[in-house]
Amino acid sequence: MSRVAFVTGGTRGIGRAISARLRAAGYKVAAGYAGNEVAANAAATELGLFVVKGNVSSFADCATAVKTVEAELGNIDVLVNNAGITRDAVLHRMTEAQWNEVIHVNLASIFNMTRNVIEGMRERNYGRIVNISSINGQKGQIGQTNYSAAKAGMIGFSKALAQENAKKGITVNTICPGYIDTEMVSAVPKAVLDQIIAGIPVGRLGMADEIARCVAFLAAEDAGFITGATLTANGGQYISG
Ligand code: CAA
């Protein structure tokens, strides 16, 4: 029996690579997306995904998406909270909308999604939850008080939830990618990005599949002893204890 995985933001960027990896590993994969129909259709066709549209910052949308996926593919065994946005600005110029959007899409979303799958996982005594945070939730980044706060919040959420569900066969882990070669990172002004790359010891951006393989590792059935962990994949840019 194939396990079922739901990857939010699973049709573009790191999320698409995660969907592809899990699919190749034999999972049935549902990929959530917010609005880019072209990318969603391409991912569905090319990777064999079931795609589902919805806004992760809406609890109601997440509830509907989970029901739709479960009706189509079966109970969700693996949830990857990957959807995220940036609205970079220094705090003294940041608008309330920039703050709220990032907190809702990147952080409130993980409550919205996880709350809708956790009871089923507990009943079935099995689950794998992987939250995609960021290096910038660990070290902070100029221009990203909103994003750094949301991504740090994901780490705390994961550690608390891991303890609540450890006896139920459910693991909850966080991955902190560094700067990965995606549309999100290519939106950083070139001069700033060049400076950032110069500070990455391996000397390059990461590739989306280098994060996807971390997800596949944590999502595996035989990863049951790894919970509450934070896995860093950042080319040595920030090495924390
Ligand atoms: N140190 C201290 N202050 C700095 C600074 C630095 N290195 N860089 C900028 N500032 C200050 C400036 O002095 C300026 O202050 P004043 O308003 O008092 O003059 C203020 O910040 C604004 O600077 P600028 O006018 O030069 O720049 P800006 O407002 O156009 O943009 C920025 C600033 C938003 C921070 C921009 O530089 C930027 O986008 N930086 C990249 C942020 C980043 O790394 N984002 C990651 C996106 S990818 C991602 O998030 C994925 C992931 O998980 C890694």
Side-chain angles (χ1 to χ4, degrees):
M1 185 200 65
S2 304
R3 295 272 185 202
V4 175
F6 190 144
V7 184
T8 68
T11 63
R12 292 197 294 138
I14 292 174
R16 182 181 156 117
I18 295 168
S19 297
R21 261 273 170 180
L22 295 178
R23 194 79 189 92
Y27 295 80
K28 293 189 224 167
V29 179
Y33 71 102
N36 187 329
E37 305 285 349
V38 174
N41 290 337
T45 313
E46 290 160 22
L47 303 177
L49 310 179
F50 176 68
V51 294
V52 56
K53 186 173 178 174
N55 178 354
V56 287
S57 66
S58 154
F59 187 83
D61 275 19
C62 293
T64 305
V66 166
K67 282 198 190 85
T68 307
V69 168
E70 292 197 329
E72 185 70 23
L73 301 182
N75 294 324
I76 295 167
D77 303 300
V78 177
L79 171 64
V80 184
N81 285 309
N82 164 77
I85 58 168
T86 53
R87 296 289 181 267
D88 292 357
V90 287
L91 189 78
H92 55 278
R93 297 218 182 98
M94 187 177 287
T95 64
E96 192 181 1
Q98 287 173 316
W99 172 263
N100 283 333
E101 261 189 280
V102 169
I103 296 299
H104 286 126
V105 173
N106 296 11
L107 183 58
S109 60
I110 69 172
F111 170 79
N112 296 339
M113 283 302 302
T114 310
R115 182 67 186 83
N116 279 296
V117 301
I118 196 74
E119 288 184 64
M121 287 181 174
R122 288 174 64 87
E123 278 159 23
R124 296 187 296 278
N125 281 294
Y126 186 82
R128 296 281 179 267
I129 298 170
V130 182
N131 294 320
I132 308 300
S133 174
S134 165
I135 184 176
N136 293 340
Q138 297 174 296
K139 72 168 187 60
Q141 168 62 42
I142 290 170
Q144 289 200 307
T145 49
N146 49 5
Y147 188 88
S148 298
K151 293 297 187 180
M154 293 177 85
I155 298 172
F157 174 96
S158 305
K159 290 179 177 176
L161 191 68
Q163 294 175 61
E164 289 182 7
N165 292 283
K167 286 200 167 59
K168 290 281 182 184
I170 301 167
T171 66
V172 187
N173 293 292
T174 309
I175 296 171
C176 288
Y179 283 73
I180 307 300
D181 191 5
T182 58
E183 278 174 49
M184 180 185 274
V185 166
S186 54
V188 173
K190 181 164 182 335
V192 178
L193 187 57
D194 286 347
Q195 234 179 357
I196 289 169
I197 294 171
I200 302 175
V202 303
R204 61 170 176 87
L205 294 175
M207 303 306 295
D209 190 55
E210 292 177 301
I211 303 307
R213 71 195 302 276
C214 299
V215 175
F217 168 68
L218 293 170
E221 284 183 18
D222 59 3
F225 203 59
I226 307 171
T227 195
T230 304
L231 177 55
T232 290
N234 65 24
Q237 187 187 347
Y238 180 73
I239 299 175
S240 58

